[in-house]
Each structure stands twice: as C-alpha cells, then as structure tokens.
C-alpha cells in the first residue's frame, strides 16, 4: 500500500481523496478486496468507482498496476497499453514523469503502446533516446513498421 500511495500521489490524483487502501470483504460467499480512498484527514472514505471520474479511476488503476509490477522480482520489464485514456494534460505529464522515474530509479524497462500521436511525441521529447536509451516505433498499419 505505501508504494501504491507514493505512485498515486505522483500522478496528481483526486484533489481531496489522495490515500489508497484496501478492505477485505467477507460478507458473502465470494469474498472481495475493495479499493477505497480517503481524504487527507482520514475523515471520509469513498469507493472510487462510485465517485471518481474516468481519468481519476485510470490514475488509480495505473498506480496499483505499476506498484504490482515494481514489486516483481521475476521481471525487469513492464508492459503498459495506452495508460493515458481520459487524462488531462497535468495527469499526462505526471504519468510521463513517473514512468521516467521508474526507468531511472526502479531500473525497469517499460514497453508502452499508444494510439495517441501527441502522447507519443511528448514521450519522445521527455525521454530522448540519447539520455534514456529509449526507442520509438511507429506502425503504418497492423504489423508494418513505419520507416524513419
């Protein structure tokens, strides 16, 4: 949970509900693990999928996914498919900064796919190949790599 919260706070989460926790629910025959968020004073708890926007849910989901991937000792590579859906500019920039930090400090390789050309171009600017050993590939059509 501390790693999830650290990642979550780096991507500019909900302005009030910025702490993530989990509650095990054994009330029925199929137990669940519920994700909840609390405000800064821990006075109010919400179930995010009932109150958050799509972008806020995506930030939360990405944070949980990345924390799980960073805890892996089997793999040094993280595959991410279109992480910025519905995010605003601040979330997108924060996501790129977070991914860059994971590469540098977490010593992980990230393979990311996106259909968003603006995001692709922004990644190229913020993670230039000469500084990050990054590579960028564009496809012309399914399975056909665009020539530089």
């Amino acid at each position: 949970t501390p790693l999830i919260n650290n990642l979550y706070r780096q991507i500019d989460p909900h302005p009030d509900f910025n702490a993530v926790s989990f509650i095990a629910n054994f009330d029925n025959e199929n137990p669940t693990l519920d994700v909840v968020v609390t405000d800064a004073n821990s006075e109010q708890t919400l179930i995010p999928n009932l109150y958050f926007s799509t972008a806020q849910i995506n930030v939360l989901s990405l944070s949980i996914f990345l924390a799980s991937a960073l805890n892996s000792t089997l793999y040094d590579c993280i595959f991410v498919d279109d992480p910025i859906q519905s995010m605003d500019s601040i979330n997108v920039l924060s996501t790129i900064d977070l991914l860059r930090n994971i590469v540098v400090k977490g010593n992980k390789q990230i393979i990311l796919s996106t259909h968003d050309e603006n995001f692709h171009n922004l990644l190229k600017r913020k993670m230039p190949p000469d500084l990050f050993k990054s590579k960028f590939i564009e496809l012309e059509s399914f399975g056909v790599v665009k020539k530089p």
Side-chain angles (χ1 to χ4, degrees):
T1 307
L3 180 56
I4 292 170
N5 279 293
N6 182 343
L7 298 170
Y8 180 62
R9 289 183 182 123
Q10 289 182 53
I11 310 179
D12 193 40
H14 189 281
D16 297 322
F17 295 92
N18 57 13
V20 181
S21 60
F22 298 89
I23 298 174
N25 183 351
F26 298 102
D27 291 341
N28 54 33
E29 70 180 57
N30 294 324
T32 60
L33 183 62
D34 300 326
V35 179
V36 296
V37 289
T38 56
D39 63 0
N41 301 326
S42 298
E43 294 176 1
Q44 190 174 9
T45 299
L46 294 179
I47 298 172
N49 59 337
L50 299 177
Y51 297 97
F52 275 19
S53 69
T54 302
Q56 291 164 336
I57 291 288
N58 287 344
V59 167
L60 178 59
S61 300
L62 182 62
S63 301
I64 294 169
F65 168 76
L66 289 173
S68 174
L70 286 169
N71 278 322
S72 171
T73 56
L74 295 175
Y75 305 104
D76 289 330
C77 187
I78 301 170
F79 292 86
V80 184
D81 181 31
D82 239 342
I84 61 156
Q85 291 178 339
S86 304
M87 289 187 190
D88 61 19
S89 299
I90 293 173
N91 295 133
V92 170
L93 291 171
S94 298
T95 298
I96 292 172
D97 290 341
L98 175 62
L99 295 173
R100 192 171 52 191
N101 284 337
I102 288 171
V103 168
V104 172
K105 295 178 183 174
N107 201 27
K108 297 280 188 179
Q109 176 185 25
I110 295 177
I111 297 175
L112 186 143
S113 65
T114 185
H115 71 280
D116 188 316
E117 188 174 355
N118 290 330
F119 181 55
H120 172 83
N121 291 331
L122 191 55
L123 279 167
K124 285 168 62 173
R125 292 193 72 140
K126 292 196 68 129
M127 298 182 81
D130 54 331
L131 295 176
F132 293 94
K133 298 180 186 175
S134 54
K135 294 182 181 176
F136 297 91
I137 299 169
E138 290 184 68
L139 299 178
E140 284 182 5
S141 60
F142 185 78
V144 179
V145 177
K146 186 176 182 180
K147 295 178 183 174

